[in-house]
Amino acid sequence: DVKVTQSSRYLVKRTGEKVFLECVQDMDHENMFWYRQDPGLGLRLIYFSYDVKMKEKGDIPEGYSVSREKKERFSLILESASTNQTSMYLCASSFGPPEAFFGQGTRLTVV
Amino acid sequence: AQTVTQSQPEMSVQEAETVTLSCTYDTSENNYYLFWYKQPPSRQMILVIRQEAYKQQNATENRFSVNFQKAAKSFSLKISDSQLGDTAMYFCAFMRDFGNEKLTFGTGTRLTIIP
């Protein structure tokens, strides 16, 4: 079974902190994604990566950056966390159409 | 750009009844995939069913089936003999059949099955 693992299920950080959300997949997938999920807005794409050290902005990249130094790991970085970044964050990976596999989500609260 | 619209934020149905969740999408592509994902309280996204746009036959998976109307850009999910375990958020999603592609999601429908 494909496994996509996010490092934390729940995280509480203070405003202004630098926050790292980690995601690891074990299926040698080229593509990895970070989504943000908010009530009434569904899942919105923040960033995605189709290869090591490659990244592309999604629909809502402002306030975020990413890092992919190894194929299996894709990190989402909040350089200076703000309260409006309190949300659920979902990582996914795929080898291309027609499917993507998701991690269990990280619920981040910024206080 | 692709868009996916789910117009039913919440629905509820009695156990054992049938329920239909609606989804419409907009794209200029001819080759693509459509999906329904389920997200229970555990938060794990679970693929319920997938439809290839080039297939005219509607996909089915046990109690789950879709009504895919390509010309109308409509993709509804029917759940038959609903069970308490079907209580979840349901997301409709779109993916182009092209290279390194991403999923585009609708806003979701919260489905509650009433005992």
Side-chain angles (χ1 to χ4, degrees):
Chain A
D1 275 357
V2 174
K3 193 146 189 178
V4 180
T5 304
Q6 294 183 229
S7 53
S8 306
R9 280 184 66 82
Y10 298 95
L11 212 51
V12 180
K13 295 293 182 180
R14 295 195 177 278
T15 301
E17 276 194 77
K18 189 169 186 175
V19 180
F20 292 86
L21 303 183
E22 307 285 347
C23 176
V24 177
Q25 51 97 0
D26 65 357
M27 279 301 292
D28 204 35
H29 286 167
E30 282 86 15
N31 306 322
M32 296 188 74
F33 310 85
W34 275 106
Y35 287 89
R36 171 176 171 158
Q37 181 180 355
D38 298 289
L41 298 177
L43 280 75
R44 295 177 292 166
L45 183 66
I46 304 172
Y47 267 97
F48 66 103
S49 167
Y50 52 88
D51 201 352
V52 176
K53 296 190 187 291
M54 305 299 288
K55 62 184 179 184
E56 285 203 22
K57 294 180 180 180
D59 300 317
I60 51 165
E62 297 77 18
Y64 304 94
S65 62
V66 290
S67 171
R68 193 162 180 205
E69 296 296 320
K70 293 185 177 180
K71 193 174 188 180
E72 67 270 18
R73 186 180 297 270
F74 191 36
S75 303
L76 180 69
I77 304 160
L78 287 66
E79 293 288 344
S80 178
S82 65
T83 55
N84 62 13
Q85 292 178 309
T86 291
S87 186
M88 170 84 80
Y89 292 87
L90 286 162
C91 175
S93 74
S94 82
F95 49 78
E99 194 164 0
F101 299 87
F102 285 83
Q104 79 277 29
T106 297
R107 189 174 297 280
L108 172 67
T109 303
V110 182
V111 297
Chain B
Q2 287 65 234
T3 60
V4 178
T5 302
Q6 293 178 251
S7 58
Q8 305 152 312
E10 293 188 18
M11 296 186 73
S12 60
V13 66
Q14 293 288 138
E15 190 176 6
E17 291 186 349
T18 294
V19 61
T20 298
L21 280 57
S22 300
C23 174
T24 59
Y25 60 95
D26 191 25
T27 184
S28 58
E29 302 290 336
N30 196 46
N31 299 319
Y32 51 87
Y33 298 89
L34 294 163
F35 307 83
W36 280 98
Y37 278 90
K38 169 185 176 180
Q39 187 183 47
S42 67
R43 304 189 328 222
Q44 183 66 53
M45 293 286 277
I46 301 165
L47 178 64
V48 175
I49 200 165
R50 174 176 63 230
Q51 175 79 43
E52 293 87 342
Y54 66 86
K55 288 188 177 178
Q56 291 189 340
Q57 187 172 6
N58 289 325
T60 62
E61 287 287 343
N62 301 313
R63 298 182 295 107
F64 299 87
S65 61
V66 298
N67 183 3
F68 173 49
Q69 302 288 328
K70 190 173 184 179
K73 296 180 181 172
S74 170
F75 182 62
S76 61
L77 174 70
K78 185 171 83 171
I79 306 173
S80 304
D81 185 27
S82 56
Q83 300 174 359
L84 297 179
D86 296 334
T87 292
M89 283 290 291
Y90 286 82
F91 291 98
C92 179
F94 172 101
M95 179 188 277
R96 292 191 308 171
D97 184 10
F98 176 79
N100 303 312
E101 264 308 304
K102 60 188 185 294
L103 282 161
T104 300
F105 286 88
T107 52
T109 296
R110 182 175 300 280
L111 176 65
T112 302
I113 308 301
I114 303 166

